[in-house]
Amino acid sequence: MLPTRTLGTTGPAVSALGLGCMGMSALYGEADRAESIATIHSALEAGVTLLDTGDFYGMGHNELLIAEALRTAPAGLREQALTSVKFGALRTVEGGFTGYDGRPAAVRNFAAYSLQRLGTGHIDVYRIARVDPDVPIEETVGAIAELVEAGHVRHIGLSEVGADTLRRAAAVAPIADLQIEYSLLSRGIEEKILPTARELGIGVTAYGVLSRGLISGHFTRDRALGPGDFRGMSPRFQGENLHRNLDLVDRLRAVAEAKGVSVAQTAIAWVLAQGDDIVPLVGARTRARLTEALGALDVVLDPADREAIERAVPAGAAAGERYPAAQMAHLDSEH
């Protein structure tokens, strides 16, 4: 079994690595459904207990995929799985994003649909994907707290919020964890957000630990991104930014090779080493990538290793923002 970590002081114990399932349904181009389900099964068999999704990933497709994977998994594995669900994103038929809805009535509506699609009886951690600027966070969190009281949700989470919003939310109800991007290329949480979360006893589930594959060691300079792959619009994957970022990966590769591990394992191990209150989410879409990611749990970074990694990829070294400007505007964590 895998080592476990607890999501904050009030959240559940989960595997030290969680599986981010978004790429199995959306935003990275075509995915193989059978391989996706096999990957979820392999994750559960390896001891991964945390499955992360969003109701807007493929407009419900991802939740239905997880439901199928859980339904066809052995009962013991199915019972150990915990679901972390984001809600609130408003979509168009064409796949566009038009905003976020955090009104209490909308919270209850989104939850009803997710419970039906997942077929799990409850959601383990429920969070709005981005703060609705027109609805106080206290109202949104209060609505989730009512779902907790009713037994439909077990724990309350947050996503991409800043320190002030984190405090306001925690004053309403216990918050298990904050889901936010954290990697060698995205270290903005270290100044205010992470210290505030620790002060309040709130855990962190870190997504983007491989920067959407950019620092996985598998992304090449001449790689052509297919239709439907949102990385084609990501500033870090554009032109000179891409080359500068892959230069950093080359430097990280030297550190990884000296240690006898992969680039991805080194990057994931670095996030794991930032604190026992942090649970990285790995977006593996295949069993091979999952196996590689799980190997990071066996990587021990001593002080010399960590210094070498810091020299290879210093804080603030990434070229380009982590999202296009329109999406950056929705991030409470960046304001």
Side-chain angles (χ1 to χ4, degrees), residues 7 9 13 49 74 77 94 98 138 145 174 215-216 253 262 270 274 301 313 322 324:
L7 297 184
T9 56
T49 61
L77 298 180
E94 294 75 23
T98 60
E138 291 86 351
I215 56 173
S216 66
R253 192 186 309 276
S262 75
W270 180 87
Q274 301 314 301
L301 300 177
V313 189
R322 54 197 181 102

Side-chain angles (χ1 to χ4, degrees), residues 175-197:
I175 306 297
D177 73 313
L178 167 64
Q179 188 173 120
I180 195 163
E181 187 166 356
Y182 189 34
S183 72
L184 280 166
L185 293 189
S186 298
R187 297 177 60 174
I189 74 169
E190 293 177 343
E191 183 179 355
K192 292 182 180 179
I193 296 173
L194 185 55
T196 301

